[in-house]
Amino acid sequence: IIAIFKAMQILRIPSPRAPVTLAGNFSGPFERLRKTAQGYRGNKPEILEEILYEIIIDFQERLEKGLPLVAITAAIAPLLGLLGTQHQSFQ
């Protein structure tokens, strides 16, 4: 269920159809990046780069939340399948 939820979360992220500019209008994380870049226009490029990087890291953390549980479940599933394969041939 978590894997399906994460897939839906990732697939719902809209990707820009046109080249990204400060004058455009986008949705999702791209709009947040555009508005931030537009608000900090005129400052040092290093400052803007750090701020945009922080926004990207924040969004990445939200997307990666719950992925360790999916990885653990994928690793344990074959082992659980082996538990049902024991034979009762020796009596």
Side-chain angles (χ1 to χ4, degrees):
I1 292 173
I2 295 172
I4 293 170
F5 174 74
K6 294 312 279 183
M8 294 301 294
Q9 186 181 24
I10 291 170
L11 292 174
R12 280 190 287 165
I13 299 172
S15 58
R17 304 280 184 231
V20 179
T21 63
L22 290 179
N25 189 12
F26 305 100
S27 57
F30 299 104
E31 180 64 16
R32 184 172 172 204
L33 289 171
R34 185 194 68 80
K35 284 183 178 179
T36 304
Q38 195 172 29
Y40 281 91
R41 196 176 355 176
N43 288 335
K44 291 184 178 180
E46 296 84 16
I47 294 173
L48 177 60
E49 182 181 2
E50 285 296 320
I51 292 170
L52 294 178
Y53 186 70
E54 295 275 333
I55 293 171
I56 292 170
I57 293 297
D58 180 50
F59 195 75
Q60 181 181 0
E61 286 175 358
R62 279 193 263 152
L63 286 177
E64 291 177 351
K65 187 176 181 180
L67 287 182
L69 184 59
V70 173
I72 290 171
T73 305
I76 291 176
L79 300 175
L80 291 176
L82 288 175
L83 289 177
T85 61
Q86 288 183 347
H87 294 285
Q88 295 289 333
S89 58
F90 298 106
Q91 295 179 359

